[in-house]
Amino acid sequence: MNIGILTGGGDCPGLNAVIRGAVHAGSRRYGHTFVGLRRGWKGLLERETIPLSQESTYGILGQGGTILGSSRTNPYSRDGGPQAAVDAIRDLGLDAVIAIGGEDTLGVANKLHGDFQAPVIGVPKTIDNDLSGTDYSFGFWTCVQIGVAAIDRLQTTAASHDRVLVVEVMGRHAGWIALECGRASGADCVLIPEVAMSVDEVCAVLKARRSAGQHHAVVVVSEGVEFTSHKVETELDEFGHVQLAERGVGEFLATSIEQTMDWDCRAVVLGHVQRGGTPLAYDRSLGTRMGVQAAKMVQEGKFGRMASLRGEQVTDVPLSEAVGRLRTVPPAEYEDARVFFGA
Ligand code: F6P
């Protein structure tokens, strides 16, 4: 079979491991051939391809980013886009498309399969770890490790200057990155989009810490956190998402804490640093397993489904299960993390 592979949405450490895994497993086990579609669904619509073979994927396992490029192109936001995507699959001679992406990219895959029975298979990709249908996405733990390493550094400079450091992390509308970065770095307060916390409540936590004789603190805030007194309009992308980083929630919180508590405060936005660079061994391994699974699913004709991690097992689930609703942090899990807030 001739298989197209694309990577869509924000990049993520481990994408190249998936590409390599699928190409090597598909070529060696089943005699599949592969072609890369450049920059997500854009490459399919514009028929921009690159050759993909075992040779061209040597040495990419530990590379960050994606050798295919990525974009947030949505065929369903363009006139005739979905039909053009299906026509391109036929005209490029593709028997299957492996779409590696998050809820947006996989949402398109799910619709193309539902509307046209397009032969698509999904692989879950997101540093946000917010996809249903899988326990973890590759790239998440690399992103958390980068965050923790940064916070460890910020702890020492905060201590030297008796400051509060507010660290804004990515994650969109799910607080997994903030929760795990905060938990693993021993942050003094963590704010996530799923559980509302006012500036006064954050200050109460910090006051308790100060009363216990501590002169510095680290607060982790997820970019998707909302405060009633902080409203910023931003542009929407093709999938209708706001650019959360432009809202500057970390800066807002730092300024508010400083004003309320008369405590020197700085904001740091980790942003895209958390997405770049070499993947951890875990994410290389999970990405490789996901790629092998995707090649197998093509061989077995499991279209309209997504590779998935359930416990220790790689398996597959319907795409509709993955894109139906966001996997957010359960309040009880956040409650357990709160034990470590403040003093
Ligand atoms: O979905 C991954 C993600 O990194 C989010 O955490 C973040 O909000 C968004 O992508 C940033 O997107 P962009 O790379 O387009 O700025």
Side-chain angles (χ1 to χ4, degrees):
M1 292 169 95
N2 189 32
I3 304 169
I5 303 186
L6 63 84
T7 54
D11 70 347
C12 180
L15 278 168
N16 289 324
V18 182
I19 296 166
R20 172 182 171 273
V23 170
H24 283 243
S27 312
R28 293 179 190 188
R29 278 191 172 160
Y30 314 114
H32 294 156
T33 52
F34 290 86
V35 66
L37 300 161
R38 298 281 286 139
R39 303 184 191 87
W41 294 114
K42 191 168 192 281
L44 184 62
L45 294 176
E46 296 177 2
R47 303 176 184 209
E48 193 185 344
T49 64
I50 55 166
L52 267 188
S53 63
Q54 291 186 73
E55 291 70 27
S56 70
T57 55
Y58 284 145
I60 66 169
L61 178 58
Q63 262 178 41
T66 161
I67 59 165
L68 299 178
S70 194
S71 73
R72 297 193 189 278
T73 302
N74 180 2
Y76 278 84
S77 73
R78 297 164 186 220
D79 277 349
Q83 185 63 53
V86 175
D87 290 349
I89 293 176
R90 184 197 57 226
D91 294 349
L92 291 170
L94 301 177
D95 300 301
V97 172
I98 296 175
I100 313 170
E103 47 147 352
D104 297 333
T105 304
L106 298 184
V108 171
N110 185 42
K111 281 197 209 159
L112 288 177
H113 183 259
D115 295 346
F116 303 92
Q117 290 77 52
V120 289
I121 274 168
V123 174
K125 170 263 9 164
T126 164
I127 58 162
D128 303 338
N129 207 37
D130 59 357
L131 265 172
S132 296
T134 188
D135 292 351
Y136 280 105
S137 304
F138 63 87
F140 171 68
W141 283 111
T142 301
C143 166
V144 169
Q145 180 59 40
I146 294 167
V148 169
I151 295 167
D152 285 350
R153 288 174 186 276
L154 294 169
Q155 290 273 13
T156 63
T157 177
S160 304
H161 291 268
D162 293 345
R163 278 178 179 152
V164 179
L165 252 300
V166 173
V167 187
E168 179 184 316
V169 297
M170 282 190 167
R172 210 162 247 174
H173 304 294
W176 293 109
I177 296 175
L179 182 80
E180 294 299 1
C181 283
R183 181 147 58 189
S185 65
D188 303 294
C189 187
V190 179
L191 288 88
I192 62 173
E194 292 89 338
V195 182
M197 200 170 176
S198 66
V199 171
D200 286 346
E201 285 171 295
V202 177
C203 290
V205 167
L206 295 177
K207 253 176 216 148
R209 182 166 164 81
R210 196 148 68 172
S211 306
Q214 299 295 327
H215 299 287
H216 76 282
V218 169
V219 176
V220 177
V221 59
S222 177
E223 63 179 0
V225 164
E226 309 252 2
F227 292 103
T228 39
S229 51
H230 179 243
K231 293 279 172 246
V232 180
E233 296 291 325
T234 66
E235 281 185 17
L236 302 183
D237 68 16
E238 287 192 29
F239 287 92
H241 297 299
V242 292
Q243 291 288 316
L244 288 171
E246 283 175 20
R247 293 165 58 246
V249 73
E251 193 62 51
F252 170 80
L253 184 58
T255 307
S256 306
I257 293 170
E258 192 163 86
Q259 283 168 358
T260 313
M261 299 194 66
D262 190 24
W263 196 346
D264 197 17
C265 201
R266 297 284 189 278
V268 173
V269 181
L270 293 187
H272 294 86
V273 170
Q274 288 199 272
R275 256 177 33 195
T278 184
L280 291 181
Y282 176 83
D283 289 327
R284 297 180 195 198
S285 182
L286 180 58
T288 301
R289 292 174 76 198
M290 289 284 177
V292 171
Q293 175 71 0
K296 187 173 167 198
M297 288 165 68
V298 171
Q299 179 67 14
E300 293 173 354
K302 289 185 165 176
F303 301 123
R305 298 181 71 83
M306 178 187 85
S308 147
L309 182 71
R310 288 299 195 202
E312 297 295 316
Q313 297 298 316
V314 170
T315 175
D316 54 77
V317 296
L319 270 168
S320 53
E321 197 179 302
V323 299
R325 84 188 151 78
L326 273 193
R327 199 173 76 85
T328 50
V329 176
E333 177 130 12
Y334 182 67
E335 219 29 61
D336 286 350
R338 281 181 84 112
V339 170
F340 299 93
F341 289 9

PDB file of all heavy atoms in Angstrom, residues 9-11 72 125-128 130 169-172 177 223 237 242-245 271-272 275, ligand 1:
ATOM      1  N   GLY A   9      -0.952  20.804  13.380  1.00  0.00           N
ATOM      2  CA  GLY A   9      -1.045  21.490  14.674  1.00  0.00           C
ATOM      3  C   GLY A   9       0.321  21.865  15.209  1.00  0.00           C
ATOM      4  O   GLY A   9       1.331  21.806  14.497  1.00  0.00           O
ATOM      5  N   GLY A  10       0.365  22.223  16.488  1.00  0.00           N
ATOM      6  CA  GLY A  10       1.649  22.598  17.107  1.00  0.00           C
ATOM      7  C   GLY A  10       2.601  21.413  17.113  1.00  0.00           C
ATOM      8  O   GLY A  10       2.172  20.281  17.320  1.00  0.00           O
ATOM      9  N   ASP A  11       3.880  21.659  16.892  1.00  0.00           N
ATOM     10  CA  ASP A  11       4.814  20.527  16.884  1.00  0.00           C
ATOM     11  C   ASP A  11       5.006  20.003  18.302  1.00  0.00           C
ATOM     12  O   ASP A  11       4.502  20.585  19.269  1.00  0.00           O
ATOM     13  CB  ASP A  11       6.140  20.888  16.199  1.00  0.00           C
ATOM     14  CG  ASP A  11       6.959  21.856  17.032  1.00  0.00           C
ATOM     15  OD1 ASP A  11       6.439  22.440  17.994  1.00  0.00           O
ATOM     16  OD2 ASP A  11       8.150  22.040  16.701  1.00  0.00           O
ATOM     17  N   ARG A  72      -1.648  24.840  10.924  1.00  0.00           N
ATOM     18  CA  ARG A  72      -2.995  24.670  11.492  1.00  0.00           C
ATOM     19  C   ARG A  72      -4.043  24.825  10.389  1.00  0.00           C
ATOM     20  O   ARG A  72      -5.096  25.419  10.590  1.00  0.00           O
ATOM     21  CB  ARG A  72      -3.223  25.684  12.606  1.00  0.00           C
ATOM     22  CG  ARG A  72      -2.284  25.502  13.796  1.00  0.00           C
ATOM     23  CD  ARG A  72      -2.734  26.299  15.002  1.00  0.00           C
ATOM     24  NE  ARG A  72      -1.741  26.284  16.056  1.00  0.00           N
ATOM     25  CZ  ARG A  72      -1.593  25.294  16.935  1.00  0.00           C
ATOM     26  NH1 ARG A  72      -2.362  24.243  16.869  1.00  0.00           N
ATOM     27  NH2 ARG A  72      -0.658  25.368  17.862  1.00  0.00           N
ATOM     28  N   LYS A 125      -1.174  13.276  19.132  1.00  0.00           N
ATOM     29  CA  LYS A 125       0.008  14.113  19.356  1.00  0.00           C
ATOM     30  C   LYS A 125      -0.412  15.375  20.068  1.00  0.00           C
ATOM     31  O   LYS A 125      -1.284  16.081  19.571  1.00  0.00           O
ATOM     32  CB  LYS A 125       0.636  14.471  18.002  1.00  0.00           C
ATOM     33  CG  LYS A 125       1.706  15.493  18.027  1.00  0.00           C
ATOM     34  CD  LYS A 125       1.376  16.950  17.723  1.00  0.00           C
ATOM     35  CE  LYS A 125       0.019  17.453  17.578  1.00  0.00           C
ATOM     36  NZ  LYS A 125      -0.128  18.918  17.662  1.00  0.00           N
ATOM     37  N   THR A 126       0.079  15.635  21.234  1.00  0.00           N
ATOM     38  CA  THR A 126      -0.123  16.946  21.846  1.00  0.00           C
ATOM     39  C   THR A 126       0.692  17.056  23.125  1.00  0.00           C
ATOM     40  O   THR A 126       0.652  16.153  23.964  1.00  0.00           O
ATOM     41  CB  THR A 126      -1.612  17.227  22.192  1.00  0.00           C
ATOM     42  OG1 THR A 126      -1.662  18.331  23.092  1.00  0.00           O
ATOM     43  CG2 THR A 126      -2.307  16.053  22.854  1.00  0.00           C
ATOM     44  N   ILE A 127       1.413  18.155  23.262  1.00  0.00           N
ATOM     45  CA  ILE A 127       2.078  18.365  24.546  1.00  0.00           C
ATOM     46  C   ILE A 127       1.038  18.611  25.638  1.00  0.00           C
ATOM     47  O   ILE A 127       1.304  18.406  26.809  1.00  0.00           O
ATOM     48  CB  ILE A 127       3.080  19.552  24.522  1.00  0.00           C
ATOM     49  CG1 ILE A 127       2.393  20.857  24.129  1.00  0.00           C
ATOM     50  CG2 ILE A 127       4.289  19.246  23.669  1.00  0.00           C
ATOM     51  CD1 ILE A 127       3.179  22.101  24.487  1.00  0.00           C
ATOM     52  N   ASP A 128      -0.166  19.061  25.246  1.00  0.00           N
ATOM     53  CA  ASP A 128      -1.193  19.420  26.231  1.00  0.00           C
ATOM     54  C   ASP A 128      -1.771  18.195  26.949  1.00  0.00           C
ATOM     55  O   ASP A 128      -2.379  18.333  28.011  1.00  0.00           O
ATOM     56  CB  ASP A 128      -2.342  20.185  25.559  1.00  0.00           C
ATOM     57  CG  ASP A 128      -1.867  21.434  24.836  1.00  0.00           C
ATOM     58  OD1 ASP A 128      -0.787  21.940  25.174  1.00  0.00           O
ATOM     59  OD2 ASP A 128      -2.581  21.894  23.922  1.00  0.00           O
ATOM     60  N   ASP A 130      -4.344  16.515  26.253  1.00  0.00           N
ATOM     61  CA  ASP A 130      -5.778  16.717  26.478  1.00  0.00           C
ATOM     62  C   ASP A 130      -6.669  15.900  25.549  1.00  0.00           C
ATOM     63  O   ASP A 130      -7.864  16.169  25.422  1.00  0.00           O
ATOM     64  CB  ASP A 130      -6.114  18.217  26.318  1.00  0.00           C
ATOM     65  CG  ASP A 130      -5.750  18.758  24.947  1.00  0.00           C
ATOM     66  OD1 ASP A 130      -5.188  18.001  24.124  1.00  0.00           O
ATOM     67  OD2 ASP A 130      -6.026  19.946  24.685  1.00  0.00           O
ATOM     68  N   VAL A 169       2.865  28.477  31.779  1.00  0.00           N
ATOM     69  CA  VAL A 169       3.161  27.329  30.915  1.00  0.00           C
ATOM     70  C   VAL A 169       2.031  27.130  29.909  1.00  0.00           C
ATOM     71  O   VAL A 169       0.929  27.645  30.079  1.00  0.00           O
ATOM     72  CB  VAL A 169       3.364  26.033  31.745  1.00  0.00           C
ATOM     73  CG1 VAL A 169       4.564  26.157  32.667  1.00  0.00           C
ATOM     74  CG2 VAL A 169       2.107  25.679  32.534  1.00  0.00           C
ATOM     75  N   MET A 170       2.322  26.351  28.866  1.00  0.00           N
ATOM     76  CA  MET A 170       1.309  26.073  27.842  1.00  0.00           C
ATOM     77  C   MET A 170       0.287  25.061  28.354  1.00  0.00           C
ATOM     78  O   MET A 170       0.345  24.642  29.507  1.00  0.00           O
ATOM     79  CB  MET A 170       1.995  25.555  26.582  1.00  0.00           C
ATOM     80  CG  MET A 170       2.632  26.638  25.744  1.00  0.00           C
ATOM     81  SD  MET A 170       3.165  25.963  24.157  1.00  0.00           S
ATOM     82  CE  MET A 170       3.490  27.483  23.274  1.00  0.00           C
ATOM     83  N   GLY A 171      -0.618  24.669  27.486  1.00  0.00           N
ATOM     84  CA  GLY A 171      -1.594  23.641  27.861  1.00  0.00           C
ATOM     85  C   GLY A 171      -2.997  23.914  27.352  1.00  0.00           C
ATOM     86  O   GLY A 171      -3.895  23.100  27.537  1.00  0.00           O
ATOM     87  N   ARG A 172      -3.184  25.102  26.804  1.00  0.00           N
ATOM     88  CA  ARG A 172      -4.486  25.504  26.278  1.00  0.00           C
ATOM     89  C   ARG A 172      -5.560  25.374  27.363  1.00  0.00           C
ATOM     90  O   ARG A 172      -5.372  25.903  28.432  1.00  0.00           O
ATOM     91  CB  ARG A 172      -4.816  24.658  25.056  1.00  0.00           C
ATOM     92  CG  ARG A 172      -5.672  25.402  24.085  1.00  0.00           C
ATOM     93  CD  ARG A 172      -5.666  24.797  22.737  1.00  0.00           C
ATOM     94  NE  ARG A 172      -5.014  25.662  21.785  1.00  0.00           N
ATOM     95  CZ  ARG A 172      -4.750  25.339  20.541  1.00  0.00           C
ATOM     96  NH1 ARG A 172      -5.039  24.142  20.106  1.00  0.00           N
ATOM     97  NH2 ARG A 172      -4.175  26.198  19.740  1.00  0.00           N
ATOM     98  N   ILE A 177      -0.156  20.208  31.957  1.00  0.00           N
ATOM     99  CA  ILE A 177       1.251  20.646  31.957  1.00  0.00           C
ATOM    100  C   ILE A 177       1.536  21.428  33.244  1.00  0.00           C
ATOM    101  O   ILE A 177       2.534  21.172  33.939  1.00  0.00           O
ATOM    102  CB  ILE A 177       1.572  21.516  30.712  1.00  0.00           C
ATOM    103  CG1 ILE A 177       1.420  20.688  29.430  1.00  0.00           C
ATOM    104  CG2 ILE A 177       2.975  22.107  30.816  1.00  0.00           C
ATOM    105  CD1 ILE A 177       1.609  21.485  28.147  1.00  0.00           C
ATOM    106  N   GLU A 223      -1.605  28.819  30.803  1.00  0.00           N
ATOM    107  CA  GLU A 223      -1.973  29.940  29.922  1.00  0.00           C
ATOM    108  C   GLU A 223      -3.486  30.092  29.740  1.00  0.00           C
ATOM    109  O   GLU A 223      -3.964  31.164  29.415  1.00  0.00           O
ATOM    110  CB  GLU A 223      -1.322  29.744  28.543  1.00  0.00           C
ATOM    111  CG  GLU A 223      -1.826  28.480  27.839  1.00  0.00           C
ATOM    112  CD  GLU A 223      -1.235  28.258  26.458  1.00  0.00           C
ATOM    113  OE1 GLU A 223      -0.424  29.075  26.002  1.00  0.00           O
ATOM    114  OE2 GLU A 223      -1.607  27.245  25.840  1.00  0.00           O
ATOM    115  N   ASP A 237      -7.642  31.247  15.160  1.00  0.00           N
ATOM    116  CA  ASP A 237      -7.015  30.529  14.040  1.00  0.00           C
ATOM    117  C   ASP A 237      -8.094  29.795  13.239  1.00  0.00           C
ATOM    118  O   ASP A 237      -9.292  29.944  13.501  1.00  0.00           O
ATOM    119  CB  ASP A 237      -5.906  29.588  14.544  1.00  0.00           C
ATOM    120  CG  ASP A 237      -6.436  28.412  15.360  1.00  0.00           C
ATOM    121  OD1 ASP A 237      -7.658  28.137  15.305  1.00  0.00           O
ATOM    122  OD2 ASP A 237      -5.633  27.763  16.048  1.00  0.00           O
ATOM    123  N   VAL A 242      -8.331  30.781  20.221  1.00  0.00           N
ATOM    124  CA  VAL A 242      -7.651  32.043  20.514  1.00  0.00           C
ATOM    125  C   VAL A 242      -6.169  31.756  20.768  1.00  0.00           C
ATOM    126  O   VAL A 242      -5.794  30.646  21.137  1.00  0.00           O
ATOM    127  CB  VAL A 242      -8.230  32.748  21.768  1.00  0.00           C
ATOM    128  CG1 VAL A 242      -9.628  33.245  21.513  1.00  0.00           C
ATOM    129  CG2 VAL A 242      -8.204  31.833  22.975  1.00  0.00           C
ATOM    130  N   GLN A 243      -5.339  32.778  20.565  1.00  0.00           N
ATOM    131  CA  GLN A 243      -3.913  32.678  20.891  1.00  0.00           C
ATOM    132  C   GLN A 243      -3.777  32.985  22.375  1.00  0.00           C
ATOM    133  O   GLN A 243      -3.684  34.142  22.774  1.00  0.00           O
ATOM    134  CB  GLN A 243      -3.112  33.698  20.067  1.00  0.00           C
ATOM    135  CG  GLN A 243      -3.048  33.398  18.591  1.00  0.00           C
ATOM    136  CD  GLN A 243      -2.139  32.211  18.314  1.00  0.00           C
ATOM    137  OE1 GLN A 243      -1.057  32.122  18.875  1.00  0.00           O
ATOM    138  NE2 GLN A 243      -2.588  31.294  17.487  1.00  0.00           N
ATOM    139  N   LEU A 244      -3.757  31.942  23.190  1.00  0.00           N
ATOM    140  CA  LEU A 244      -3.809  32.154  24.641  1.00  0.00           C
ATOM    141  C   LEU A 244      -2.593  32.909  25.174  1.00  0.00           C
ATOM    142  O   LEU A 244      -2.721  33.723  26.093  1.00  0.00           O
ATOM    143  CB  LEU A 244      -3.944  30.800  25.343  1.00  0.00           C
ATOM    144  CG  LEU A 244      -5.328  30.148  25.175  1.00  0.00           C
ATOM    145  CD1 LEU A 244      -5.316  28.722  25.699  1.00  0.00           C
ATOM    146  CD2 LEU A 244      -6.383  30.954  25.902  1.00  0.00           C
ATOM    147  N   ALA A 245      -1.419  32.635  24.597  1.00  0.00           N
ATOM    148  CA  ALA A 245      -0.205  33.268  25.114  1.00  0.00           C
ATOM    149  C   ALA A 245      -0.301  34.790  25.019  1.00  0.00           C
ATOM    150  O   ALA A 245       0.256  35.513  25.856  1.00  0.00           O
ATOM    151  CB  ALA A 245       1.011  32.760  24.368  1.00  0.00           C
ATOM    152  N   GLY A 271       6.434  29.217  27.227  1.00  0.00           N
ATOM    153  CA  GLY A 271       6.006  29.200  25.827  1.00  0.00           C
ATOM    154  C   GLY A 271       6.584  28.070  24.996  1.00  0.00           C
ATOM    155  O   GLY A 271       6.643  26.912  25.433  1.00  0.00           O
ATOM    156  N   HIS A 272       7.061  28.420  23.807  1.00  0.00           N
ATOM    157  CA  HIS A 272       7.476  27.408  22.834  1.00  0.00           C
ATOM    158  C   HIS A 272       8.748  26.664  23.219  1.00  0.00           C
ATOM    159  O   HIS A 272       9.047  25.631  22.627  1.00  0.00           O
ATOM    160  CB  HIS A 272       7.620  28.052  21.450  1.00  0.00           C
ATOM    161  CG  HIS A 272       6.310  28.537  20.907  1.00  0.00           C
ATOM    162  ND1 HIS A 272       5.802  29.773  21.212  1.00  0.00           N
ATOM    163  CD2 HIS A 272       5.393  27.928  20.127  1.00  0.00           C
ATOM    164  CE1 HIS A 272       4.625  29.919  20.633  1.00  0.00           C
ATOM    165  NE2 HIS A 272       4.342  28.818  19.966  1.00  0.00           N
ATOM    166  N   ARG A 275       8.100  23.158  23.814  1.00  0.00           N
ATOM    167  CA  ARG A 275       7.740  22.284  22.690  1.00  0.00           C
ATOM    168  C   ARG A 275       8.935  21.869  21.863  1.00  0.00           C
ATOM    169  O   ARG A 275       8.851  20.947  21.055  1.00  0.00           O
ATOM    170  CB  ARG A 275       6.763  23.032  21.786  1.00  0.00           C
ATOM    171  CG  ARG A 275       5.380  22.561  21.945  1.00  0.00           C
ATOM    172  CD  ARG A 275       4.342  23.276  21.167  1.00  0.00           C
ATOM    173  NE  ARG A 275       4.667  23.812  19.885  1.00  0.00           N
ATOM    174  CZ  ARG A 275       3.890  24.700  19.255  1.00  0.00           C
ATOM    175  NH1 ARG A 275       2.762  25.085  19.808  1.00  0.00           N
ATOM    176  NH2 ARG A 275       4.210  25.160  18.085  1.00  0.00           N
TER     177      ARG A 275
HETATM  178  O1  F6P B   1      -1.601  22.714  21.483  1.00  0.00           O
HETATM  179  C1  F6P B   1      -0.241  22.872  21.695  1.00  0.00           C
HETATM  180  C2  F6P B   1       0.087  24.293  22.014  1.00  0.00           C
HETATM  181  O2  F6P B   1       1.477  24.367  22.282  1.00  0.00           O
HETATM  182  C3  F6P B   1      -0.720  24.908  23.165  1.00  0.00           C
HETATM  183  O3  F6P B   1      -0.255  24.504  24.423  1.00  0.00           O
HETATM  184  C4  F6P B   1      -0.569  26.374  22.875  1.00  0.00           C
HETATM  185  O4  F6P B   1      -1.650  27.129  23.373  1.00  0.00           O
HETATM  186  C5  F6P B   1      -0.566  26.431  21.379  1.00  0.00           C
HETATM  187  O5  F6P B   1      -0.164  25.149  20.924  1.00  0.00           O
HETATM  188  C6  F6P B   1       0.354  27.485  20.803  1.00  0.00           C
HETATM  189  O6  F6P B   1       0.184  27.512  19.446  1.00  0.00           O
HETATM  190  P1  F6P B   1       1.149  28.296  18.433  1.00  0.00           P
HETATM  191  O7  F6P B   1       2.353  27.428  18.220  1.00  0.00           O
HETATM  192  O8  F6P B   1       0.326  28.405  17.201  1.00  0.00           O
HETATM  193  O9  F6P B   1       1.504  29.591  19.069  1.00  0.00           O
END
